[in-house]
Amino acid sequence: MMPASDNWRQPDRRFMVTGAARPRDIRDLMGHPFFALGKTPRLTPIDYQARHIAVMVRAENAGGIATVWDVDVLIWLTGQIVDALNHGLWVSRHVRFTPWRLFQDLGWATGAHEYDRLHGALARLSATTVITNIRQGTDWRERPFTWISDVRISRDDGVALTLPDWLMEAACDRSRVLSVDPAYFCLRGGLERWLYRLARRHAGRQKNGWRFDLAELHARSGSLTRRRDFIAKIRAIVVSQIIPGYAFRVISGGKLGILCAVPTSQSTEGVDNDVKHVVESTAHHIVGAAADLSWDHWRKSAQPVVFKGGISPVTYITNIITYYVGDFGFFAPLPAARSGHGKEAREAIADRLVGVP
């Protein structure tokens, strides 16, 4: 039998979300500018480069680049995948779930606003093209992907979508995944959310935390805000101390100061006991002029990226229980909230469509 960590490579299987799972984030997404930090549609491309890192993100329509709020969907799905692997279950990059399950796990309400929010997130995630050299090899420029694809919405059975290989490879490698404090989802500001994820990745559970050069954080965030305004917002967050699990303070050093992040609770614990340590022990290290970020630069214009092809229809089989689910266009209305979704989320579904990408 194929090891659980490799089963997602089987294209004829559909992963069904069956219950609650602790949310997990992918380390590669936590330290680099993959998402917009504001709710106003961002059409300006992200083009971030460091000594060894390149990240280019484009919006394919007027909806803009996927935001740091939209990434909640990916964090939730990653948690579901890790939980399934922990229990020795099969997973797949082809996923089906009910909105009700996502709302329950992330603490959303179940009104029309939440369905609109999910609909918008799915639209932006599917229309955001990413090119990066992180785990992509020498031909990374020829390997663009979108956060999700092949999205279909059924009135009765919720959402079906396909995750990219790039994300699945990370989700199935538990040394690349970190647990997320549930309080993170209550943060209202995009910059606050970004700071939590950055601190979670670098400071982790280290007693002495981590340090970040304020002058370099602006480039790392991908924010379009002027640097002085960006740093003013950082200082305001330090005063408010609203980010869960970490205490922030600004000390002298660098060009404009150093931001220190120190863990304050066990909410920053790892995913599992057997997961490798993912944060270095050099707590005195500064992300900034002394690190790779000294080569960082921010460019607001670049050549457009064309995403080639899509995902062919696929036959999905899970367990033995199957029934036909009709096709709906991506912009079909999401199902209204109703009772019984918990039971339905645990049923297996098979599509009649065939063909493997």
Side-chain angles (χ1 to χ4, degrees):
M1 182 175 181
M2 184 177 296
S5 60
D6 289 332
N7 63 33
W8 66 269
R9 298 180 186 279
Q10 297 298 305
D12 61 338
R13 299 183 69 91
R14 162 90 58 190
F15 173 57
M16 289 294 302
V17 173
T18 58
R22 185 169 187 177
R24 272 93 168 185
D25 206 347
I26 294 174
R27 293 179 61 220
D28 294 330
L29 299 183
M30 301 168 78
H32 306 292
F34 284 99
F35 302 96
L37 300 184
K39 291 186 176 181
T40 300
R42 172 171 175 165
L43 302 178
T44 303
I46 294 174
D47 192 352
Y48 171 85
Q49 293 190 16
R51 182 193 291 179
H52 304 298
I53 299 297
V55 175
M56 294 178 283
V57 185
R58 305 288 184 268
E60 298 300 324
N61 59 38
I65 293 172
T67 71
V68 72
W69 293 273
D70 299 336
V71 76
D72 288 3
V73 176
L74 302 182
I75 292 174
W76 179 72
L77 288 173
T78 300
Q80 292 288 342
I81 291 166
V82 172
D83 187 71
L85 291 175
N86 286 345
H87 289 86
L89 302 177
W90 287 85
V91 296
S92 171
R93 66 193 184 99
H94 308 296
V95 183
R96 188 184 296 278
F97 64 90
T98 61
W100 177 88
R101 180 72 269 166
L102 181 145
F103 297 163
Q104 287 285 309
D105 290 354
L106 297 185
W108 294 13
T110 54
H113 173 74
E114 281 64 36
Y115 284 98
D116 290 341
R117 176 181 174 184
L118 177 60
H119 192 284
L122 295 176
R124 285 183 293 272
L125 289 168
S126 65
T128 298
T129 298
V130 181
I131 296 181
T132 180
N133 65 349
I134 300 175
R135 296 186 286 105
Q136 287 283 68
T138 57
D139 61 340
W140 59 274
R141 292 179 180 83
E142 306 301 323
R143 304 175 67 181
F145 61 88
T146 56
W147 294 120
I148 59 175
S149 59
D150 194 28
V151 181
R152 291 183 295 122
I153 299 174
S154 164
R155 290 181 181 276
D156 295 325
D157 304 298
V159 180
L161 55 82
T162 297
L163 296 170
D165 288 355
W166 187 88
L167 190 143
M168 282 298 298
E169 288 173 353
C172 293
D173 179 355
R174 279 169 278 186
S175 67
R176 295 184 178 274
V177 181
L178 293 173
S179 59
V180 176
D181 190 328
Y184 161 81
F185 299 101
C186 296
L187 293 175
R188 301 180 65 181
L191 187 55
E192 289 91 332
R193 284 175 164 244
W194 176 76
L195 277 179
Y196 168 83
R197 298 174 70 222
L198 186 70
R200 179 69 185 95
R201 181 186 190 278
H202 288 285
R205 301 177 64 187
Q206 297 181 97
K207 180 179 179 180
N208 296 324
W210 204 265
R211 299 181 181 185
F212 307 90
D213 189 304
L214 282 176
E216 302 294 342
L217 283 184
H218 184 242
R220 176 176 277 246
S221 72
S223 174
L224 293 176
T225 305
R226 291 182 303 178
R227 190 170 72 174
R228 64 181 182 182
D229 295 332
F230 175 86
I231 293 177
K233 292 180 179 179
I234 293 288
R235 291 180 178 273
I237 292 172
V238 171
V239 172
S240 66
Q241 294 293 333
I242 62 174
I243 298 180
Y246 295 93
F248 288 85
R249 63 192 180 98
V250 176
I251 62 175
S252 60
K255 296 180 180 178
L256 300 172
I258 300 295
L259 178 68
C260 302
V262 179
T264 59
S265 71
Q266 293 303 308
S267 64
T268 56
E269 64 184 347
V271 176
D272 302 289
N273 291 333
D274 59 349
V275 172
K276 300 176 183 178
H277 294 291
V278 293
V279 179
E280 299 176 17
S281 59
T282 53
H284 65 280
H285 181 81
I286 298 176
V287 175
D292 289 348
L293 287 180
S294 57
W295 281 267
D296 290 354
H297 63 278
W298 176 257
R299 298 198 307 271
K300 296 184 179 180
S301 62
Q303 295 298 320
V305 176
V306 178
F307 182 72
K308 300 178 179 179
I311 303 298
S312 302
V314 181
T315 297
Y316 305 112
I317 303 175
T318 306
N319 297 332
I320 300 176
I321 307 173
T322 63
Y323 56 89
Y324 168 66
V325 179
D327 265 345
F328 286 80
F330 176 70
F331 290 98
L334 282 165
R338 58 186 176 87
S339 60
H341 275 297
K343 180 180 178 181
E344 292 183 10
R346 288 165 173 77
E347 295 181 344
I349 298 176
D351 286 62
R352 65 178 176 84
L353 302 176
V354 297
V356 177

